[in-house]
Amino acid sequence: MIEEGSKSSKSMVEKRQLFMEMRAQNFDVIRLSTYRTACKLRFVQKRCNLHLVDVWNMIEAFRDNGLSTLDHNVEINVSRLETILSSIFYQLNKRLPTTHQINVDQSIGLLLNFIVATYDSEGHGKLTVFAMKAMLATMCGGKILDKLRYIFSQISDSNGVMVFAKFDQFLREVLKLPTAVFEGPSFGYTEHSVRTCFPQQKILLNTFLDVLMADPPPQCLVWLPLMHRLANVENVFHPVECSYCQSESMMGFRYRCQQCHGYQLCQSCFWRGHASGPHSNQHQMKEHSSWKSPAKKLSHAISKSLGCMPMGEPPHPVFPEAAERPQDLAHTTTLESPSRLDEEHRLIARYAARLAAEASNSTQCPPTDLSFNFDANKQQRQLIAELENKNREILQEIQRLRLEHEQASQPTPEKAQQNPTLLAELRLLRHRKDELERRMSALQESRRELMVQLEGLMRLLKDEEQKQAVQTGSSPHSSPSHSASCTMPMPIRSTSAGSTPTHTPQDCLARVGDDVLDAFSQGVPRNLRNDLLVAADSITNTMSSLVKELHSVDDGLEDEERNMRNGREKVSSLKHSGKRHSTPSF
């Protein structure tokens, strides 16, 4: 008992799922019942993936499941209906690419519950074959012209004349669709619906198509062509600003007021009755399903005014008035009937007679015409053969170029073996060079600091000499004015990696200033001067060794780059020599 209760509750949830999703779309805010009904039925069509199934696929499914030979009033149960829907959607998945596969079980469940809720509201568990055909043929994808032709084949007699009782039955079944989406008060069935659609007595196929595809169509079926127009304009882009919501572009329908100049609304604002400024909802609006630039409009108007194009195109092609029922495809199951065989024999005899007449006419032609036709045919055949040979050569050349491009784009074994080692060595050398440059920068900074300290020591020595001179009363070698004019040494700039420093100890002392040279040239204590000279020599030797090491790194980098360049040239020469041997001659 618990399991049965859970199953029934799950079934109720599945039946209500589609309607709950439809209500979440908030279609009821659309003020016009025609657009509201078309939007709801379009949502059901897309949610159940019926828009991916053509009417011809539906006819094929009816034939495969044996429905083409059944009477319209035969009832089928829900399990057989589920089998038919399964064949429809499984065949659909076979036609779709693997990246666009649908959820077959979900589509079957949603559509089955919608059909049962629409045509079996009392819960009998059965529905007629005609009701199922009418519903699926109306809600599937494809062109409206093909749908109406198939529907007419189901409601007409053997002479190709519409039976009013069958059309009345069709209206009863198809108008249950707006009722299922809660639009029954606007598009419900009435007893006068048939006569309001066709007041004539004899209705043939072209008349049937003229009435249902007219603008506007019959009021009870006005939502049917609108649903197809909605499907055609879902991805149409209009680069126009909406006059109400100020959106810079529109998708879908575009509505232009016939009274307010330049006033245009998107489909969302028009459906909801929005208006602004002097515009009113009572103004006449023109619906546009495409965008044309002003230049294209002007050329279209000029062509139309000059008579270069027809003023109006017929809504559908004119079909023969004889009874034609190719949409049912029932003939595929009755090929062995005697009437069918007799008809095939008559067709064969007719074609044989036509071929014999053409042959007799051709024998009566003058010989010059025959020779001319023969020569023309021969020239055409030769031209075709030449074009085919040229096309074959072009294809071969394209194939050859494609192979060469693939070979050139793929790495060769020599590159794969040599490049990693060479690149690794280059990285190590560059890393070593960077370390040496950093070390050289540090040594230059130490050298600068030592030179600054050397200058300070020179000043101390000079001050000491001045004091001794004052005490002894002798004149110093350098006057105070001379010491005051002594300038500080300029900071030594760092040497770039590509330059070679050639500073000697005398150059370093010369950069310190004249006071330092004067101090060393006088009688300075021997040990202090020697220490300073030793320090300067050590700095210079260190800089020289660092420069030599940098030179060795640069030479190594140049050797490695030269080796890599030679290797590339060898590989390129080998590749070109191989191409010369493998290139075909034409």
Side-chain angles (χ1 to χ4, degrees), residues 178-355:
T179 305
V181 293
F182 314 106
E183 297 296 334
S186 300
F187 301 103
Y189 171 80
T190 61
E191 297 178 357
H192 306 287
S193 298
V194 177
R195 289 301 173 185
T196 56
C197 295
F198 299 103
Q200 303 93 336
Q201 294 297 326
K202 184 178 180 181
I203 306 299
L204 300 177
L205 174 60
N206 291 314
T207 307
F208 180 79
L209 296 177
D210 289 338
V211 172
L212 294 187
M213 297 185 67
D215 188 16
Q219 181 60 30
C220 60
L221 296 173
V222 68
W223 51 269
L224 181 57
L226 179 58
M227 185 174 69
H228 286 79
R229 295 207 309 272
L230 280 174
N232 294 331
V233 302
E234 283 181 349
N235 298 319
V236 174
F237 176 77
H238 305 269
V240 182
E241 181 180 358
C242 179
S243 300
Y244 182 83
C245 65
Q246 307 300 321
S247 177
E248 296 182 356
S249 59
M250 305 179 189
M251 294 293 292
F253 286 119
R254 174 172 55 91
Y255 298 89
R256 182 167 55 88
C257 182
Q258 301 298 296
Q259 300 181 22
C260 303
H261 177 70
Y263 193 90
Q264 302 190 75
L265 293 175
C266 62
Q267 67 177 20
S268 178
C269 294
F270 175 76
W271 290 353
R272 286 159 176 77
H274 294 161
S276 60
H279 178 71
S280 172
N281 291 331
Q282 304 302 323
H283 292 180
Q284 185 179 2
M285 303 290 288
K286 186 176 181 180
E287 184 180 272
H288 295 272
S289 58
S290 62
W291 163 255
K292 293 181 180 179
S293 62
K296 192 172 182 180
K297 290 181 182 178
L298 179 61
S299 63
H300 181 80
I302 293 174
S303 301
K304 191 173 182 180
S305 61
L306 294 177
C308 299
M309 58 183 302
M311 298 298 292
E313 296 181 356
H316 64 84
V318 179
F319 296 97
E321 299 294 343
E324 237 182 282
R325 306 167 68 96
Q327 296 86 3
D328 199 4
L329 297 183
H331 60 277
T332 56
T333 59
T334 58
L335 288 177
E336 301 300 328
S337 60
S339 60
R340 180 66 183 175
L341 294 176
D342 293 340
E343 184 179 357
E344 289 182 355
H345 287 307
R346 285 195 298 270
L347 288 174
I348 293 172
R350 189 182 305 168
Y351 284 122
R354 183 180 299 176
L355 291 174

Side-chain angles (χ1 to χ4, degrees), residues 70 291 304 336 448 492 494 530 552 585:
L70 293 179
W291 163 255
K304 191 173 182 180
E336 301 300 328
R448 188 185 66 81
I492 299 174
S494 59
N530 291 337
S552 64
S585 60

Side-chain angles (χ1 to χ4, degrees), residues 296-535:
K296 192 172 182 180
K297 290 181 182 178
L298 179 61
S299 63
H300 181 80
I302 293 174
S303 301
K304 191 173 182 180
S305 61
L306 294 177
C308 299
M309 58 183 302
M311 298 298 292
E313 296 181 356
H316 64 84
V318 179
F319 296 97
E321 299 294 343
E324 237 182 282
R325 306 167 68 96
Q327 296 86 3
D328 199 4
L329 297 183
H331 60 277
T332 56
T333 59
T334 58
L335 288 177
E336 301 300 328
S337 60
S339 60
R340 180 66 183 175
L341 294 176
D342 293 340
E343 184 179 357
E344 289 182 355
H345 287 307
R346 285 195 298 270
L347 288 174
I348 293 172
R350 189 182 305 168
Y351 284 122
R354 183 180 299 176
L355 291 174
E358 292 178 354
S360 62
N361 292 332
S362 62
T363 56
Q364 297 175 0
C365 294
T368 56
D369 296 339
L370 289 174
S371 61
F372 176 76
N373 293 334
F374 178 76
D375 294 339
N377 292 334
K378 184 178 180 180
Q379 292 177 359
Q380 291 178 358
R381 287 195 296 270
Q382 290 177 354
L383 180 61
I384 291 172
E386 292 176 359
L387 293 175
E388 288 179 351
N389 292 332
K390 189 66 176 177
N391 186 29
R392 194 177 300 109
E393 293 176 359
I394 292 172
L395 292 176
Q396 291 177 357
E397 182 67 16
I398 292 173
Q399 185 67 19
R400 183 183 65 80
L401 293 175
R402 185 182 291 112
L403 291 175
E404 290 182 358
H405 177 71
E406 291 177 356
Q407 292 175 0
S409 61
Q410 292 179 357
T412 58
E414 292 81 5
K415 291 182 181 179
Q417 293 176 0
Q418 294 178 3
N419 283 341
T421 305
L422 294 174
L423 291 176
E425 291 179 357
L426 282 174
R427 283 195 294 268
L428 290 174
L429 290 173
R430 287 171 183 168
H431 182 67
R432 179 62 177 167
K433 182 179 179 181
D434 294 338
E435 289 182 353
L436 293 175
E437 288 179 351
R438 288 194 296 268
R439 183 179 174 187
M440 182 176 180
S441 299
L443 290 174
Q444 287 176 350
E445 184 66 22
S446 301
R447 180 187 181 191
R448 188 185 66 81
E449 293 177 357
L450 288 174
M451 297 303 291
V452 171
Q453 293 176 5
L454 182 62
E455 178 69 18
L457 290 175
M458 291 297 100
R459 289 181 181 177
L460 291 176
L461 290 173
K462 192 170 184 179
D463 292 341
E464 187 66 25
E465 288 178 358
Q466 290 176 357
K467 290 179 182 180
Q468 292 178 1
V470 170
Q471 291 176 2
T472 58
S474 61
S475 62
H477 181 72
S478 62
S479 62
S481 62
H482 180 73
S483 64
S485 64
C486 180
T487 59
M488 292 295 292
M490 296 296 293
I492 299 174
R493 296 180 181 177
S494 59
T495 307
S496 61
S499 62
T500 305
T502 57
H503 300 297
T504 61
Q506 289 78 9
D507 296 334
C508 297
L509 292 176
R511 285 183 175 273
V512 174
D514 296 335
D515 294 338
V516 178
L517 294 175
D518 294 340
F520 276 103
S521 63
Q522 295 178 359
V524 186
R526 183 69 181 176
N527 55 357
L528 179 59
R529 184 174 60 186
N530 291 337
D531 293 340
L532 291 174
L533 288 174
V534 169

